[in-house]
Amino acid sequence: MDAEAIKRSLEGSGLRCTPQRYAVIEFLMEHNRHPTAAEIFEAVNRVDPRSSRATTYNNLRDLVQAGLVREVAVEGRAARFDAKGMRHHHFICDRCGNVEDIEWYDVPRPASGSLGQRILRECELIFRGLCTKCATRHASR
Amino acid sequence: MDAEAIKRSLEGSGLRCTPQRYAVIEFLMEHNRHPTAAEIFEAVNRVDPRSSRATTYNNLRDLVQAGLVREVAVEGRAARFDAKGMRHHHFICDRCGNVEDIEWYDVPRPASGSLGQRILRECELIFRGLCTKCATRHASR
DNA sequence: ATGTCACATTAGATATAATCTAAATTCTTG
DNA sequence: CAAGAATTTAGATTATATCTAATGTGACAT
Ligand SMILES: [Mn+2]
Ligand SMILES: [Mn+2]
Ligand SMILES: [Zn+2]
Ligand SMILES: [Zn+2]
């Protein structure tokens, strides 16, 4: 996705395309590493230091609300973020907390009876276990 | 599950059955409200056996590690806990953050190719949207 | 029964993550 | 340009969770 397309998707969500906001979503689209807010803050300030911590958090919140970015809560660790490109599932490592993409496949929805009056927005499938690096280290001990 | 059974399941996991630890798991088994650590701390201290905040957190960590309790990370809010009784899925409300149980049904595993060298421990299915209370309030506005 | 030692608890300090505040800046629109 | 809305900012503040070092407890060997 090029600069113009990012700009359009921001404005299509009613968000101004500010340098700080653009830097956040551009960074997320270039990396599929699921960085934390702190990592994003550092990364965008390494290039051109002009975004405060509050702005980074504000923009992440706005981008999540606009549906352009996904937040992944990880137990006992800082939240992680990724740009919502192609649909995919997530694998979260028990040991190191890293979040990795897993190829998407369809998930059966619950019977409407078990949902009751609730309004379902999305089903999220999360896999847990040991990532490749931790599994290798685990085996050799 | 009665007191003796709780005691056995603790000791089966190599954990002493202390009054503080017992109070935590007993509270989680009696309530399926998915309380936060702070709520559990307050609840167990309303009755007799006193327990410090550190002990409450320590015991929750030990119980999760032993596989008797599940921790549910919720974006932007404190983690929530439940006793692992019957298998079930979770619904997390976008608006109020409440976690609710959804009847269990089997989840298809990913193709082994997309897992690579990773070691899969569990698949967790999470539903998101508006809980009954928030959906009702949402409709009437 | 007594001693020993690993396990467990405690109060308070500390660390980490995220949000809030109020003032300044930038953008958009008329 | 003027005016108002949106955005950014530094730093303070809150919320959540963990750490520390001293103390307590109980299982078990003797
Ligand atoms: Mn992802
Ligand atoms: Mn539950
Ligand atoms: Zn790992
Ligand atoms: Zn709700």
Side-chain angles (χ1 to χ4, degrees):
Chain A
M1 192 182 258
D2 64 355
E4 270 309 309
I6 292 177
K7 192 158 178 286
R8 277 195 304 277
S9 71
L10 282 175
E11 282 162 359
S13 306
L15 297 172
R16 284 186 193 162
C17 182
T18 66
Q20 293 83 358
R21 190 170 282 153
Y22 180 90
V24 167
I25 193 163
E26 187 198 33
F27 180 77
L28 284 175
M29 295 180 96
E30 283 177 352
H31 302 80
N32 61 337
R33 295 185 320 99
H34 307 89
T36 63
E39 287 166 349
I40 295 166
F41 169 70
E42 284 178 31
V44 304
N45 278 287
R46 254 198 298 279
V47 197
D48 192 355
R50 53 172 108 196
S51 188
S52 72
R53 194 156 41 93
T55 295
T56 304
Y57 274 100
N58 286 344
N59 282 330
L60 283 168
R61 192 220 315 108
D62 295 344
L63 291 167
V64 168
Q65 270 183 6
L68 300 174
V69 164
R70 167 152 52 166
E71 177 174 355
V72 183
V74 184
E75 332 73 69
R77 306 186 187 248
R80 289 159 172 278
F81 299 87
D82 68 355
K84 273 192 185 171
M86 278 203 300
R87 298 190 81 173
H88 59 272
H89 300 303
H90 280 141
F91 183 96
I92 304 181
C93 181
D94 289 334
R95 169 182 284 265
C96 69
N98 275 348
V99 176
E100 299 173 348
D101 290 349
I102 297 289
E103 200 177 345
W104 193 81
Y105 58 87
D106 211 355
V107 177
R109 304 197 138 211
S112 68
S114 57
L115 276 179
Q117 304 283 103
R118 289 178 274 249
I119 296 173
L120 183 63
R121 180 177 58 79
E122 72 166 16
C123 303
E124 187 182 359
L125 189 47
I126 292 176
F127 307 107
R128 295 177 184 279
L130 296 177
C131 74
T132 299
K133 206 185 332 171
C134 293
T136 306
R137 200 212 297 198
H138 187 73
S140 70
R141 296 211 294 141
Chain B
M1 192 181 259
D2 65 356
E4 271 308 310
I6 292 178
K7 192 157 179 285
R8 275 196 305 276
S9 70
L10 283 175
E11 283 163 358
S13 305
L15 297 172
R16 282 190 194 159
C17 182
T18 66
Q20 291 84 359
R21 189 170 283 153
Y22 181 90
V24 167
I25 193 161
E26 186 197 34
F27 181 76
L28 285 175
M29 295 180 97
E30 282 178 354
H31 302 79
N32 60 338
R33 298 185 318 100
H34 306 91
T36 63
E39 287 167 349
I40 295 166
F41 169 70
E42 283 177 31
V44 304
N45 276 288
R46 260 198 291 278
V47 282
D48 189 22
R50 288 211 66 79
S51 185
S52 72
R53 193 157 40 94
T55 296
T56 304
Y57 275 100
N58 286 344
N59 282 330
L60 282 167
R61 191 220 317 108
D62 295 344
L63 291 167
V64 167
Q65 270 183 6
L68 299 174
V69 165
R70 166 153 53 167
E71 176 174 356
V72 183
V74 183
E75 331 73 70
R77 306 185 187 249
R80 291 161 171 276
F81 298 87
D82 68 353
K84 274 191 185 171
M86 276 203 301
R87 298 190 83 171
H88 59 273
H89 300 302
H90 280 141
F91 184 97
I92 303 181
C93 180
D94 289 335
R95 169 180 282 265
C96 69
N98 275 349
V99 175
E100 299 173 348
D101 289 349
I102 297 288
E103 199 177 347
W104 166 262
Y105 59 87
D106 212 356
V107 178
R109 307 196 135 210
S112 68
S114 58
L115 277 179
Q117 304 283 102
R118 289 178 275 250
I119 296 174
L120 182 63
R121 180 176 57 81
E122 72 166 16
C123 302
E124 187 181 0
L125 189 46
I126 293 175
F127 306 108
R128 296 177 183 280
L130 296 177
C131 74
T132 299
K133 206 184 335 169
C134 293
T136 306
R137 198 210 301 196
H138 187 73
S140 69
R141 295 210 295 141

